[in-house]
C-alpha cells in the first residue's frame, strides 16, 4: 500500500506541476508574441517613414539594408497584385502611418511562417502564432514597396537540457511524496501489526499512543477494544472453568454411590455414562484453558518437544512413529503446544488406530504431518470437525468415545501461536493433519 500511495502522490504532484508549467509557458509565449508584434509595428513604421523621406537616388541603397531581419521592406515584385481585406496588423500599422500611406495585405504567404520553430521547452508550441504576413505599401510619391513580417529567429541552442533542470525538482517531489506516504502508512502498519499480535496473544501490550490526533484516537479505540475482548474472554473462560470444575465433585460422589448398585450390568452402564460425562467435563476444562493465554511465551526446541510427546504416547501403548527433524526453535507456551500435539496424535490413534508423525523444515517454518489409518473424512465435513462438540456420525460409539473438542482445542492453541491446522485425505488412505508452525528468530 505504501507503493500505491507513493505513486498516487508522485503522479498527482507531477501532473499538477506539468499543468502549471504548461500554463506558464503558454502565457509567456503569448506575451512574447504580443511583444514581437509591437516591435514589428515599431520597426515597420520606422522603415516605411524612412523610405518615404529618402530621395529617389538613395532609396535603393536603403532598401538593400531594410531587406534584412524579420521585418523587411523591399521592392515589390507584384505591385499590381490584388490585395486582401485588412488584417489586424495592417490595421494597427495603418493607424500609426495615417492616410498618407496605403497598405494592402497580399495573399502571398511567407514560407518561414509554416516552418517549425526550435523550442527549448517541452510545453512550448513549435509553431509561431504571432504576426507573419506580407503587404504592399504605397508611399506618398506612388512607389509601391513590399513589407514582410517574419517569425523571430530561433534562439541559440542551450547546453543545459530542460530535463536536467527539472531533475532536482522531480527528485524533491519524489522525496516529499515518499515521506508523506510513509507518514500515512506507518500508523496503519502499526495498527495492522497490533491486530496480528492481538490474534496471537490477547494479553499483548497495548498500542503506544503517538502521531497525529486521528492516529492516537484510532489507537486508543483499538486498545479499548482489546481490553473489552480480553475481559470478555476472561469472563467466559472463568465461567466455563468454574462450571467444569464444580461438576467434578458431584460426579465423583455419583461414582462412589454407583459402587453400591447391585445389578452388575446396570452398574457398568451407569459407570460408562459417568466416565463419558467426566471426560466431557475434563475436555471442557481443557477447552477453557486453550483460550487462556496467560502462560508465558518461551523458545522451544521443536524436535525435542515432538520426541517427548511421541515417546509418552508410545509408553501408554499407542502406535506412534516419528520421522524427520526440523532443527529449529519456535516461540510458544510449552503446556499449550504440548496439549495441541497430544490432541492431534490422540485423535489419529483413536479414529485411525495409529499415528505416523513426520516433521520437515520449510522456509521460515516447520510442517508437522500426522497421518492415521482411518477411513478419512468427507470433504464437506472438513471444516465442521473443528466446531466444538461436533462429531462425525461414524465416530459416535462407546469404543471411540470423545466429545468433539479435541480438534477445537488444537486449533485454538495453534492460532494463538500463529500456526495453521489443515485436514486432508491422504492419497494412500487415512486422514492427514498438517500443522505448520512459524520459526522463532532470536532478536525478532
Amino acid at each position: 500500500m505504501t507503493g500505491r500511495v507513493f505513486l498516487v502522490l508522485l503522479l498527482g504532484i507531477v501532473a499538477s506541476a506539468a499543468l502549471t508549467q504548461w500554463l506558464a509557458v503558454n502565457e509567456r509565449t503569448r506575451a512574447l508574441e504580443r511583444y514581437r508584434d509591437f516591435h514589428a509595428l515599431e520597426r515597420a513604421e520606422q522603415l516605411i517613414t524612412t523610405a518615404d523621406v529618402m530621395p529617389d537616388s538613395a532609396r535603393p541603397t536603403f532598401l538593400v539594408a531594410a531587406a534584412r531581419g524579420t521585418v523587411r521592406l523591399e521592392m515589390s515584385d507584384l505591385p499590381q497584385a490584388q490585395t486582401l481585406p485588412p488584417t489586424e496588423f495592417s490595421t494597427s500599422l495603418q493607424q500609426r502611418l495615417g492616410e498618407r500611406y496605403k497598405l494592402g495585405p497580399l495573399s502571398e504567404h511567407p514560407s518561414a511562417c509554416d516552418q517549425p520553430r526550435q523550442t527549448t521547452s517541452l510545453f512550448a508550441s513549435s509553431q509561431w502564432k504571432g504576426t507573419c504576413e506580407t503587404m504592399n505599401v504605397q508611399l506618398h510619391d506612388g512607389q509601391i514597396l513590399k513589407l514582410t513580417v517574419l517569425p523571430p529567429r530561433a534562439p541559440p541552442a542551450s547546453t543545459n537540457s530542460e530535463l536536467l533542470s527539472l531533475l532536482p525538482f522531480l527528485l524533491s517531489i519524489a522525496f516529499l511524496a515518499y515521506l508523506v506516504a510513509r507518514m500515512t502508512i506507518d500508523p496503519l502498519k502499526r495498527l495492522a501489526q497490533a491486530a496480528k499480535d492481538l490474534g496471537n496473544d490477547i494479553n499483548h501490550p497495548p498500542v503506544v499512543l503517538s502521531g497525529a490526533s486521528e492516529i492516537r484516537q484510532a489507537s486508543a479505540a483499538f486498545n479499548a477494544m482489546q481490553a473489552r475482548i480480553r475481559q470478555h474472554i476472561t469472563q467466559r473462560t472463568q465461567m466455563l472453568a468454574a462450571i467444569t470444575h464444580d461438576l467434578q465433585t458431584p460426579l465423583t460422589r455419583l461414582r462412589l454411590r454407583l459402587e453400591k448398585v447391585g445389578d452388575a450390568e446396570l452398574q457398568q452402564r451407569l459407570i460408562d455414562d459417568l466416565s463419558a460425562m467426566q471426560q466431557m467435563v475434563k475436555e471442557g476444562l481443557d477447552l477453557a484453558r486453550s483460550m487462556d493465554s496467560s502462560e508465558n511465551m518461551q523458545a522451544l526446541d521443536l524436535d525435542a518437544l515432538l520426541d517427548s510427546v511421541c515417546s509418552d504416547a508410545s509408553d501408554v501403548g499407542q502406535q506412534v512413529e516419528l520421522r524427520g527433524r526440523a532443527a529449529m526453535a519456535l516461540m510458544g507456551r510449552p503446556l499449550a503446544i504440548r496439549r495441541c500435539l497430544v490432541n492431534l496424535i490422540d485423535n489419529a490413534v483413536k479414529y485411525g488406530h495409529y499415528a505416523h508423525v513426520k516433521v520437515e523444515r520449510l522456509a521460515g517454518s516447520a510442517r508437522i504431518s500426522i497421518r492415521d489409518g482411518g477411513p478419512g473424512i468427507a470433504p464437506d465435513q472438513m471444516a465442521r470437525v473443528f466446531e466444538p462438540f461436533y462429531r462425525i456420525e461414524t465416530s459416535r460409539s462407546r469404543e471411540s468415545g470423545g466429545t468433539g473438542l479435541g480438534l477445537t482445542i488444537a486449533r485454538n492453541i495453534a492460532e494463538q501461536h500463529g500456526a495453521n491446522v489443515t485436514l486432508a485425505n491422504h492419497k494412500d488412505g487415512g486422514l492427514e493433519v498438517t500443522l505448520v508452525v512459524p520459526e522463532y528468530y532470536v532478536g525478532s
Side-chain angles (χ1 to χ4, degrees), residues 18-30 123:
L19 178 60
T20 303
Q21 182 72 4
W22 179 77
L23 293 174
V25 169
N26 278 269
E27 180 60 30
R28 184 179 63 189
T29 301
R30 286 192 294 268
F123 305 96

Side-chain angles (χ1 to χ4, degrees), residues 374-420:
I377 299 178
D380 59 340
Q381 295 185 346
M382 288 289 185
R384 297 200 61 189
V385 294
F386 288 106
E387 298 177 3
F389 302 105
Y390 179 81
R391 295 177 61 197
I392 302 175
E393 290 298 328
T394 56
S395 68
R396 298 179 183 271
S397 65
R398 291 183 180 273
E399 289 75 14
S400 63
T403 60
L405 292 176
L407 289 178
T408 304
I409 295 172
R411 186 183 63 175
N412 287 347
I413 296 174
E415 290 179 346
Q416 289 180 3
H417 291 79
N420 184 36

Side-chain angles (χ1 to χ4, degrees), residues 45 47 69 119 144-145 197 210 259 270 287 323 346 373-374 416 437 441:
E45 182 184 7
L47 292 176
T119 60
I144 297 178
L145 303 178
D197 294 338
S210 61
E259 299 294 335
L270 292 175
L287 177 62
R323 293 183 301 164
D346 285 347
Q416 289 180 3
V437 296
Y441 296 95

Side-chain angles (χ1 to χ4, degrees), residues 27 41 56 124 134 137 143 154 177 180 194 240 269 281 296 355-356 367 372 398 419 435:
E27 180 60 30
L41 281 174
D56 295 341
T134 60
V137 181
Q143 185 176 9
V180 172
L240 183 59
R269 291 181 178 178
V281 169
N296 293 329
H356 289 172
R367 180 168 59 196
D372 60 38
R398 291 183 180 273
L435 174 65

Side-chain angles (χ1 to χ4, degrees), residues 60-308:
T61 304
F62 170 75
L63 290 177
V64 172
R68 299 174 181 176
T70 58
V71 181
R72 302 175 182 179
L73 187 64
E74 54 192 338
M75 297 297 295
S76 177
D77 50 358
L78 297 172
Q80 305 298 327
Q82 184 179 0
T83 59
L84 300 176
T87 63
E88 182 180 354
F89 182 82
S90 65
T91 301
S92 300
L93 183 58
Q94 185 71 68
Q95 291 175 355
R96 284 173 169 266
L97 296 173
E99 299 298 331
R100 186 178 180 183
Y101 305 92
K102 293 183 180 180
L103 306 180
L106 300 175
S107 59
E108 176 187 351
H109 194 62
S111 59
C113 299
D114 299 325
Q115 294 177 357
R117 301 168 55 243
Q118 179 182 356
T119 60
T120 58
S121 173
L122 296 174
F123 305 96
S125 174
S126 61
Q127 191 68 37
W128 174 253
K129 297 180 181 179
T131 300
C132 188
E133 57 184 271
T134 60
M135 66 186 70
N136 278 344
V137 181
Q138 184 177 351
L139 304 181
H140 74 283
D141 58 0
Q143 185 176 9
I144 297 178
L145 303 178
K146 183 174 72 171
L147 178 68
T148 305
V149 181
L150 301 175
R153 294 185 178 91
S158 175
T159 56
N160 295 327
S161 171
E162 186 180 30
L163 292 178
L164 291 179
S165 63
L166 287 176
L167 185 60
F169 171 74
L170 294 176
L171 291 177
S172 63
I173 63 174
F175 174 76
L176 177 63
Y178 177 76
L179 185 62
V180 172
R182 284 288 303 273
M183 292 174 60
T184 305
I185 300 302
D186 280 354
L188 298 179
K189 287 184 176 180
R190 288 198 297 269
L191 285 178
Q193 183 62 40
K196 182 179 179 181
D197 294 338
L198 175 62
N200 296 332
D201 182 10
I202 192 63
N203 295 313
H204 193 273
V207 180
V208 178
L209 302 182
S210 61
S213 58
E214 294 82 1
I215 300 300
R216 292 198 301 271
Q217 184 178 1
S219 300
F222 183 88
N223 291 338
M225 178 193 68
Q226 178 181 359
R228 289 193 298 269
I229 294 175
R230 182 166 54 240
Q231 182 181 12
H232 172 71
I233 292 178
T234 301
Q235 291 175 348
R236 187 180 67 171
T237 303
Q238 290 175 348
M239 180 181 65
L240 183 59
I243 293 174
T244 53
H245 181 272
D246 292 344
L247 282 175
Q248 301 247 8
T249 301
L251 290 177
T252 302
R253 288 199 301 266
L254 281 175
R255 177 175 287 275
L256 293 176
R257 291 171 182 173
L258 286 176
E259 299 294 335
K260 301 178 180 180
V261 176
D263 190 337
E265 182 179 357
L266 176 61
Q267 182 189 48
Q268 186 59 44
R269 291 181 178 178
L270 292 175
I271 290 177
D272 290 343
D273 291 339
L274 184 60
S275 298
M277 293 175 61
Q278 288 180 318
Q279 180 65 22
M280 185 177 297
V281 169
K282 177 181 178 299
E283 293 196 7
L285 186 58
D286 290 339
L287 177 62
R289 289 171 178 169
S290 71
M291 295 181 290
D292 181 16
S293 57
S294 59
E295 186 183 1
N296 293 329
M297 301 280 285
Q298 63 184 54
L300 304 174
D301 187 333
L302 180 59
D303 292 325
L305 180 62
L306 281 172
D307 184 69
S308 174

Side-chain angles (χ1 to χ4, degrees), residues 302 328-331 364-366 414 417-420 436-441:
L302 180 59
M328 62 165 257
L330 64 92
M331 178 61 69
S365 61
H417 291 79
N420 184 36
V436 179
V437 296
E439 183 176 5
Y440 167 64
Y441 296 95

